[in-house]
Amino acid sequence: MAEAGVSMPSGASTQWKTVKWVQKGTITSIPRDKVCCLYRESASANPMQHTGVYLGNGYVMDARGSATGVIYSKLGSFPWTHWAIPEGLYDNNNTVPDTEDNT
């Protein structure tokens, strides 16, 4: 997100609660042609427990700790529950691509 000029705090719940989102929804309504943030809903009091980035074409990147590192995987390989697009991601001259052309 920093590469795209979007400032986001650390932590999934903090992001979900404090970032200004221009669009968000449950995973069943994910815009498959856009880069967006992904979240997994938490069973605890915090609303979210993990975050990742949907890259398009059905692929996601997320960090799963120092032992595992950054994972590049299919959207369905992790139980994501929500998606969101932060304000500024697609504004002005931002070069975030629509993902239908990504390979």
Side-chain angles (χ1 to χ4, degrees), residues 14-87:
T14 302
Q15 290 170 6
W16 189 257
K17 290 184 214 178
T18 64
V19 170
K20 180 164 177 147
W21 304 106
V22 295
Q23 286 182 285
K24 65 181 179 178
T26 61
I27 201 67
T28 57
S29 66
I30 188 170
R32 298 230 175 213
D33 62 339
K34 299 279 187 191
V35 170
C36 58
C37 298
L38 295 176
Y39 292 90
R40 179 176 178 193
E41 193 167 32
S42 173
S44 70
N46 289 326
M48 300 296 165
Q49 67 183 23
H50 191 64
T51 186
V53 177
Y54 178 69
L55 304 171
N57 293 328
Y59 286 94
V60 175
M61 187 175 0
D62 67 297
R64 301 209 188 149
S66 58
T68 306
V70 175
I71 304 293
Y72 178 76
S73 60
K74 292 254 184 194
L75 179 62
S77 69
F78 191 80
W80 302 107
T81 59
H82 291 76
W83 62 272
I85 297 175
E87 181 177 63

Side-chain angles (χ1 to χ4, degrees), residues 1-9 19-21 37 85-91 94 96:
M1 290 298 139
E3 279 281 322
V6 176
S7 177
M8 293 183 68
V19 170
K20 180 164 177 147
W21 304 106
C37 298
I85 297 175
E87 181 177 63
L89 186 60
Y90 288 95
D91 292 351
N94 213 333
V96 177

